[in-house]
Amino acid sequence: MRTDTPWGTLPARDHLLAAAVDAAGAPVLDVVVPVYNEEKDLEPCVLRLHDHLARTFPYSFRITVADNASTDRTPEVAARLAAALPRVRSYRLEEKGRGRALRTVWSHSDAPVLAYMDVDLSTGLNALLPLVAPLISGHSDLAIGSRLSRGSRVVRGSKREFISRAYNLVLRSSLAARFSDAQCGFKAIRRDVAERLLPMVEDSGWFFDTELLVLAERAGLRIHEVPVDWVDDPDSTVHIVRTATEDLKGVWRVGRALAVGALPLDRLARPFGDDPRDRALSGVPGGLARQLVGFCVVGALSTLVYLALYSLFRLGVGPQLANGGALLVSAVANTAANRRLTFGVRGRGGAVRHQAQGLVVFAIGLALTSGSLGALGAASGSPSHGTELAVLIAANLAATVLRFLLFRAWVFPDRADRSREAYEDGPAAAAPSAGHADDTHHELGNAR
């Protein structure tokens, strides 16, 4: 697994050419089936999946059985299948964890499209081609099966239905997730995306899927959803309470990391070059429209805060002191909000410098507004509070235009330039902390 890929070098999403992939000796699709103590179900599952792919899948494929430290005869069954079927292989891992199995096998696969499904084959196999087709065509980066889409047909008990919907509601409310079904064991990803995304995913258990999707979505990658037919497995060995507890811990951990900007999502932020939003418009600098909208929203809220603070401070002090105090407090908040929301700067790096530069911009705004108040006082002697507010609004509009220009050109220069500067300073400044780098040294024994 390469974790030292240069900054922003992911290629445009092109249609995978099956002939070129075949010439390289690699399958187009690698379907991973993670198993733990599945000696009874493994063989019929693999035989059924292999038969379906051989009959209906138009590209070359491989089925990989990822044995998750099984203690029964699962390794023997997997070895027998790998020996009998040339497009099946088995990997043995000595540690449990579905996320660990997927990360390890996907990281070492040579197929350009990587997928996985649960061994019980609860999901109808007719959805497999629709799942991976958008990845092969270059339309999407990840694809998931959804049991909660309008076109899905699902047979399962009310208990699991409630838990699934409640969990997805938690994701939507806490992590602002927009995908509909995080837990369906039926997903796929392009390998070039996985190379960047997997080192950022910390979980090695059941929360792995959710974390992968949340980070991908926050980075602006495209997630394709496929409605599936799904029949619950009554013999499932998943421990619901323990899994739910670990999932909630994962939600808290990821939510906190996103809130403080600890994840280097810029490594994934649409470096593909085929996003229509990235296309240059004649005479319009890149990202200007989005930044203007964000700046106006932040500016409107900051103005309301400023006016409220001015009115509050004016009760005890003169207009100049009230203006200076209100502008200082609102300017600090305005710089922080624009840093994160308008110009997309995350993390603590450079925050102090940005605030210092923001205070310089604040001083210019203070000079404009204070000068306006001074001129008003000289002209009318004792103006009304409403007149003061009207003059301040006009002065703030002028200061706002100047503030945006200074923010864009000086405080928060072009995002791509910042990214290149960070990478030129050294890979350590740009690369994430790969919490699971040690996973890649596990030798995938018994590869057949």
Side-chain angles (χ1 to χ4, degrees):
M1 172 67 171
R2 291 166 46 229
T3 60
D4 59 343
T5 48
W7 188 280
T9 57
L10 278 173
R13 287 187 310 235
D14 293 328
H15 195 298
L16 297 174
L17 301 178
V21 177
D22 290 341
V28 171
L29 173 66
D30 192 350
V31 183
V32 180
V33 182
V35 292
Y36 172 72
N37 288 350
E38 297 286 356
E39 61 180 8
K40 182 180 72 171
D41 295 333
L42 178 57
E43 183 169 358
C45 158
V46 171
L47 292 177
R48 180 182 163 200
L49 175 59
H50 186 276
D51 177 68
H52 176 83
L53 289 171
R55 287 187 299 103
T56 66
F57 194 67
Y59 301 97
S60 57
F61 67 88
R62 176 195 298 138
I63 299 172
T64 302
V65 179
D67 176 20
N68 241 180
S70 294
T71 57
D72 63 359
R73 293 181 57 255
T74 297
E76 301 171 27
V77 177
R80 186 171 69 249
L81 289 167
L85 301 171
R87 287 188 282 191
V88 174
R89 66 177 178 176
S90 66
Y91 279 163
R92 167 73 177 181
L93 292 91
E94 299 301 332
E95 295 181 79
K96 291 179 61 177
R98 182 179 69 172
R100 177 177 287 107
L102 293 176
R103 178 189 291 108
T104 305
V105 176
W106 280 355
S107 297
H108 291 79
S109 179
D110 54 355
V113 177
L114 311 168
Y116 95 90
M117 62 179 58
D118 291 335
V119 68
D120 55 20
L121 297 186
S122 294
T123 304
L125 293 179
N126 287 336
L128 183 55
L129 182 56
L131 181 79
V132 301
L135 308 187
I136 295 173
S137 71
H139 175 272
S140 300
D141 304 301
L142 299 92
I144 65 173
S146 175
R147 298 161 296 184
L148 303 179
S149 296
R150 185 168 297 178
S152 301
R153 294 181 295 180
V154 177
V155 178
R156 63 174 166 179
S158 57
K159 179 181 178 181
R160 286 183 177 271
E161 179 77 11
F162 173 78
I163 292 174
S164 180
R165 291 188 178 274
Y167 180 62
N168 283 283
L169 180 61
V170 169
L171 295 180
R172 288 177 178 271
S173 59
S174 61
L175 298 179
R178 295 190 299 274
F179 48 85
S180 66
D181 191 351
Q183 294 177 311
C184 183
F186 194 69
K187 296 182 176 69
I189 185 171
R190 287 176 65 104
R191 188 184 66 196
D192 53 0
V193 177
E195 288 177 344
R196 290 295 186 89
L197 187 55
L198 290 179
M200 299 185 192
V201 180
E202 182 176 328
D203 191 79
S204 292
W206 292 97
F207 187 69
F208 173 88
D209 303 52
T210 301
E211 188 170 355
L212 186 82
L213 292 174
V214 169
L215 298 188
E217 187 174 73
R218 286 299 185 96
L221 301 182
R222 181 176 291 159
I223 301 174
H224 177 73
E225 294 199 14
V226 178
V228 297
D229 299 337
W230 196 86
V231 179
D232 191 14
D233 178 15
D235 299 323
S236 174
T237 58
V238 177
H239 193 289
I240 295 178
V241 175
R242 182 171 63 244
T243 301
T245 302
E246 293 300 318
D247 285 347
L248 293 177
K249 290 180 180 178
V251 170
W252 168 256
R253 174 177 53 78
V254 172
R256 182 176 57 185
L258 291 172
V260 301
L263 296 168
L265 296 180
D266 282 349
R267 294 183 80 231
L268 297 166
R270 302 306 305 150
F272 300 89
D274 60 345
D275 192 328
R277 294 169 295 181
D278 294 337
R279 294 175 187 166
L281 299 177
S282 177
V284 180
L288 178 60
R290 179 187 57 78
Q291 290 179 356
L292 278 172
V293 172
F295 186 82
C296 288
V297 172
V298 172
L301 296 175
S302 298
T303 300
L304 293 176
V305 171
Y306 162 76
L307 293 175
L309 290 173
Y310 176 80
S311 299
L312 179 64
F313 294 162
R314 191 67 177 83
L315 297 175
V317 298
Q320 294 290 0
L321 285 177
N323 174 61
L327 198 59
L328 176 62
V329 174
S330 61
V332 172
N334 180 279
T335 299
N338 275 308
R339 180 179 187 270
R340 176 70 182 272
L341 302 177
T342 303
F343 298 97
V345 181
R346 293 178 171 82
R348 300 190 180 99
V352 175
R353 175 173 59 83
H354 293 151
Q355 281 293 350
Q357 291 172 306
L359 288 178
V360 174
V361 178
F362 150 76
I364 298 173
L366 178 63
L368 282 173
T369 54
S370 295
S372 300
L373 282 176
L376 178 64
S380 58
S382 182
S384 66
H385 181 63
T387 303
E388 286 181 352
L389 290 180
V391 169
L392 285 175
I393 290 174
N396 263 293
L397 287 176
T400 297
V401 174
L402 183 59
R403 186 185 307 123
F404 177 76
L405 295 176
L406 289 173
F407 272 1
R408 181 176 170 85
W410 179 48
V411 183
F412 309 110
D414 183 72
R415 182 174 181 175
D417 292 340
R418 293 198 313 270
S419 299
R420 285 193 292 270
E421 290 170 2
Y423 189 77
E424 289 167 1
D425 288 340
S433 56
H436 286 276
D438 58 326
D439 282 345
T440 61
H441 78 264
H442 287 299
E443 186 64 32
L444 301 181
N446 295 336
R448 295 173 173 85

